[in-house]
Amino acid sequence: MGLGFMVGVLGVLFLFHAAYSTIQGLLKIMEEEFSGPPMNVSLIVLDLILWFELLGFVFCISAALTVPGYFLSIHPDSEENRIVSLSANLDFMIFNHRAKALPLETDMKLKH
Amino acid sequence: MAGHSDSSSSEKKSSEAMNDVPTFSTENMQNNMKVIYYSRTFMSIIGGVIAGILGFTGFMGFIFYFLVMAITSIGLIAKAKFSVHLYFDSWNRIILDGFMGGLMSFVLFWTFAYDIVHIF
């Protein structure tokens, strides 16, 4: 779980780096109007940005698929669903039971 | 009705009269839906940020959103080891659930990232 989370954070950092590179590239051109897709950024920087984005996307999607947890089988007959338990619900807790009918063990210890 | 819904955790939906109706454990079903929801929300946010950085405008952005959601669906089906009936009761859940909710997050982060990167 920790590893998946770190991978996701790394992917997001890659995306931030790509955004930063895009801003730097656009600032260099000193354009005042909209440029739409960063076609005016130099080709090398664009290539680097795209690679970072792709890597960031791949890391993020692998984190998105591993961090939230596993799928659990919904068939009641499957092997991992054999043992079922009640949650800690007050309606089903028993506080008044027949243990007082059992012989107390403390008497036996005091005999030593 | 209220007492029925928050009783034991492994409550099963079943009709004992007929054996044709499939039974399934709702707690695990809810867990699986939660996993799908988290995955889709995160991927729509990331897709929005990427669309903003790449500078998509208009229709291209929505096409990109559908592409990201399709990739996420394929990833989720692969995570379910391609036997979807083991974890869900219908195909619609793993393919379509969370689509529209993710669209709103996508557009939000798309405009946000686009503004930061291209307009500052």
Side-chain angles (χ1 to χ4, degrees):
Chain A
M1 190 62 63
L3 175 66
F5 196 67
M6 282 301 123
V7 167
V9 168
L10 191 65
V12 172
L13 284 178
F14 276 8
L15 288 181
F16 280 173
H17 180 84
Y20 185 71
S21 306
T22 312
I23 294 177
Q24 291 300 316
L26 289 175
L27 271 177
K28 264 191 207 159
I29 306 295
M30 296 287 276
E31 294 228 325
E32 278 138 13
E33 67 262 20
F34 264 28
S35 68
M39 292 182 301
N40 296 324
V41 179
S42 79
L43 272 176
I44 298 173
V45 178
L46 184 61
D47 197 40
L48 203 63
I49 289 171
L50 285 179
W51 273 112
F52 266 106
E53 299 238 354
L54 188 64
L55 262 178
F57 181 70
V58 166
F59 282 168
C60 285
I61 196 169
S62 66
L65 290 176
T66 53
V67 169
Y70 300 107
F71 282 148
L72 299 173
S73 170
I74 62 171
H75 284 173
D77 323 326
S78 74
E79 198 46 43
E80 65 256 17
N81 281 348
R82 264 194 67 230
I83 301 171
V84 294
S85 60
L86 293 175
S87 57
N89 191 354
L90 274 179
D91 290 340
F92 294 94
M93 287 184 189
I94 300 172
F95 294 111
N96 185 22
H97 51 76
R98 297 186 63 210
K100 55 175 160 301
L102 294 172
L104 280 177
E105 302 216 353
T106 51
D107 288 333
M108 292 193 272
K109 278 182 193 161
L110 282 172
K111 276 178 195 167
H112 275 274
Chain B
M1 190 65 177
H4 184 73
S5 64
D6 53 17
S7 61
S8 67
S9 63
S10 62
E11 163 188 334
K12 297 190 201 296
K13 273 192 206 170
S14 67
S15 63
E16 279 101 22
M18 302 170 8
N19 282 332
D20 296 331
V21 177
T23 68
F24 54 88
S25 151
T26 49
E27 184 206 2
N28 289 350
M29 172 67 104
Q30 281 173 357
N31 173 72
N32 296 346
M33 301 306 293
K34 192 178 67 171
V35 168
I36 290 185
Y37 179 72
Y38 284 170
S39 295
R40 276 199 195 279
T41 307
F42 182 62
M43 281 320 296
S44 53
I45 290 176
I46 294 297
V49 170
I50 290 182
I53 294 173
L54 288 178
F56 289 143
T57 56
F59 209 56
M60 264 307 286
F62 291 104
I63 293 180
F64 184 73
Y65 173 68
F66 284 120
L67 191 67
V68 168
M69 281 294 113
I71 293 177
T72 308
S73 290
I74 292 175
L76 284 169
I77 291 175
K79 184 185 165 89
K81 297 192 271 286
F82 294 102
S83 55
V84 171
H85 62 91
L86 251 178
Y87 303 107
F88 301 94
D89 57 346
S90 77
W91 278 90
N92 286 343
R93 291 194 187 270
I94 202 171
I95 292 180
L96 293 180
D97 189 62
F99 218 84
M100 288 300 124
L103 183 65
M104 298 296 137
S105 304
F106 172 82
V107 170
L108 174 67
F109 278 88
W110 176 22
T111 50
F112 187 55
Y114 188 91
D115 289 346
I116 286 184
V117 172
H118 294 275
I119 307 181
F120 39 80

